[in-house]
Amino acid sequence: MTVDVALGPGSSTWERLGQWRFLLVMHRALVLQAAHPAVGAAVAEFSVYNARPWRRLFRTIESLHTYVYGTPAEQRRELARLERLHRRMQGKDGYGRTFDAGDATARAWVHLTLFEAVLTMQRLGGEPLSAEETGRFYDEWRRVGHRFGLAQDDLPATPDEFRAYFDRVVAEVLEDNATVRDLLSGSIYRIPPPSGLPVPGLVWAPLRFAVVTAAVQATTATLPAAYRERLRLAVVPGTDLVVGGLHQAVRMVAGLLPKPWRYLPLAAASIRAAETPARVLVPESFFGTVLDQSGDGVLRWSDFLAMAREISTHLDLDEKDEDAVHEAFHSWWEQLCTATGTPADGSVTAAAYAVALADRTYPGPAGRERGYGAVAAVVRGLIDRDGNGEVRQDEYTRLLDHSPRRHELIAAMRELDHDGDGTIRGDELELALREFLVGERDFEAARHLLGRV
């Protein structure tokens, strides 16, 4: 199965699906998905969402954003993962009915509820999509569905046909099941604090109750009326007004933020990478924009030490690897001091740096044993752990798992993946690093690694 070219910047899908405010309709979408008999049965039988709710939520969002904002190689891997997952989710539900999570009708429903969720987000936010924009978005979303294995006949052809399909499924297919009830009134009241959030139990319990109660009421108020009646759910009077007011307030606040801040991390990183114009580095200006970490106009060993620490943090290094990084950076510092006639405990001025460049005493040959060449070689070795000359995306993704700028770094590394197959050549990575370290080319990932973006 093949995956075509990503929708990319400027598409309606890129603009809307990755926004933080999509989380306001996420729970509603999950309820509608679980209400489908096959989906509800598969979740009840195989999902661990009630034991690991945060992990399940973040993994769902990451999967969704991968097949919207990812490269073709990332999309292919995610498609293969989902196919393997769904193949194993088969059985019989509590009524003895056979279910299969890979069934095309169930997968189409899950896919289309996300389209409907965006329409709901826009409507509740006071900015319903025009007929033209709805058609554009729907055409794009059908393409995403096709690349993930849904056939032409599995998805309604037009937005009008989708509305008829949606109403029919709500009226004739969706059911009241244990998974839906659990989402609306069960396990969500046992959600633990997010990992890393030090909230005492006495504080978390009432906070969780208030937030979850509000979320359930918001979901209930915005469910299709026919399905809400089937569940015999009562809506507190005025809830729809409060929900609409919340959505509109969030939309207005988001509109005041810089564009990347309106999006979840993976979406924001992809949008930023696509929209940021390429920088043209000038070796002399590189002094102030990258090397001078303190911004005081001169270079000291402390600036190079700061860059070494930054890389160690991003790559989450142990003591041995951290020592190797520091030694390489110290060798680079000594190389620069020698070229500019500066004592190792002194400082290099911008003027001295410029003279060394002009006289070609710096940077000089890029040997791998010392200087900036050693830095590039060490960093390459840390990323290309198995030393096979190729760096797969899953390798550097795992490596950057603890990086505070994980998503930005992963997006920036794609610069070297010229054919989109998810693999970077080790020698090309090392060359890009060498040329960046002396200001001969820009390399966005290196800026992130050194802490100067």
Side-chain angles (χ1 to χ4, degrees), residues 212-324:
V212 168
T213 299
V216 169
Q217 281 296 313
T219 294
T220 300
T222 58
L223 285 173
Y227 185 60
R228 187 170 61 238
E229 292 170 6
R230 187 171 310 140
L231 297 179
R232 295 185 174 84
L233 295 175
V235 179
V236 176
T239 300
D240 54 343
L241 297 177
V242 174
V243 172
L246 173 64
H247 275 265
Q248 292 181 41
V250 171
R251 175 183 61 80
M252 288 188 288
V253 170
L256 300 175
L257 300 175
K259 184 175 180 179
W261 293 12
R262 304 172 202 165
Y263 292 84
L264 289 153
L266 182 57
S270 297
I271 290 171
R272 186 183 290 111
E275 295 185 351
T276 300
R279 295 183 177 98
V280 178
L281 280 182
V282 178
E284 291 84 351
S285 66
F286 182 74
F287 179 99
T289 58
V290 176
L291 298 180
D292 183 11
Q293 294 276 307
S294 64
D296 63 359
V298 296
L299 301 185
R300 299 182 179 85
W301 163 235
S302 57
D303 292 301
F304 284 64
L305 184 60
M307 289 187 280
R309 282 199 302 265
E310 193 73 18
I311 285 180
S312 298
T313 298
H314 284 298
L315 302 183
D316 194 29
L317 302 181
D318 59 24
E319 184 176 359
K320 178 182 176 182
D321 289 334
E322 193 174 282
D323 287 344

Side-chain angles (χ1 to χ4, degrees), residues 284 287-288 291-292 296-300 303 333 336-337 340-343 346-357:
E284 291 84 351
F287 179 99
L291 298 180
D292 183 11
D296 63 359
V298 296
L299 301 185
R300 299 182 179 85
D303 292 301
W333 168 244
L336 180 59
C337 289
T340 57
T342 303
S347 58
V348 177
T349 64
Y353 182 80
V355 168
L357 289 174

Side-chain angles (χ1 to χ4, degrees), residues 108-172:
W109 173 248
V110 169
H111 183 71
L112 291 170
T113 55
L114 297 172
F115 168 76
E116 196 271 342
V118 172
L119 297 186
T120 300
M121 177 187 77
Q122 294 291 140
R123 174 175 55 81
L124 293 175
E127 280 188 339
L129 297 185
S130 66
E132 179 182 359
E133 187 62 20
T134 299
R136 179 185 174 217
F137 178 36
Y138 187 65
D139 285 344
E140 293 173 1
W141 199 239
R142 287 184 83 237
R143 285 172 53 200
V144 175
H146 295 156
R147 76 175 57 158
F148 276 82
L150 293 171
Q152 292 281 349
D153 293 341
D154 293 331
L155 302 171
T158 67
D160 287 339
E161 291 183 24
F162 162 76
R163 293 185 184 94
Y165 157 87
F166 184 83
D167 291 343
R168 179 182 61 78
V169 173
V170 169
E172 301 176 8

Side-chain angles (χ1 to χ4, degrees), residues 426-448:
D427 56 354
E428 187 171 2
L429 170 62
E430 186 173 345
L431 176 61
L433 288 168
R434 283 203 308 264
E435 292 178 341
F436 174 82
L437 294 175
V438 295
E440 293 177 354
R441 71 175 285 182
D442 201 9
F443 184 22
E444 190 76 11
R447 284 183 179 269
H448 286 292

Side-chain angles (χ1 to χ4, degrees), residues 381-412:
L382 293 171
I383 295 177
D384 183 14
R385 285 286 186 173
D386 57 12
N388 68 348
E390 293 184 339
V391 185
R392 298 186 311 277
Q393 185 180 323
D394 58 341
E395 287 184 278
Y396 63 76
T397 296
R398 274 197 309 274
L399 186 64
L400 297 169
D401 196 44
H402 299 286
S403 168
R405 317 253 345 225
R406 176 176 182 266
H407 294 288
E408 289 91 339
L409 269 163
I410 291 171

Side-chain angles (χ1 to χ4, degrees), residues 7-52:
L7 297 172
S11 67
S12 187
T13 303
W14 264 51
E15 288 291 318
R16 305 184 193 288
L17 200 72
Q19 296 184 46
W20 280 101
R21 64 193 185 105
F22 184 76
L23 297 180
L24 294 175
V25 293
M26 187 82 174
H27 184 252
R28 175 183 179 278
L30 293 175
V31 170
L32 287 174
Q33 291 171 5
H36 190 285
V39 178
V43 171
E45 180 70 22
F46 296 102
S47 178
V48 295
Y49 78 91
N50 53 0
R52 300 279 191 274

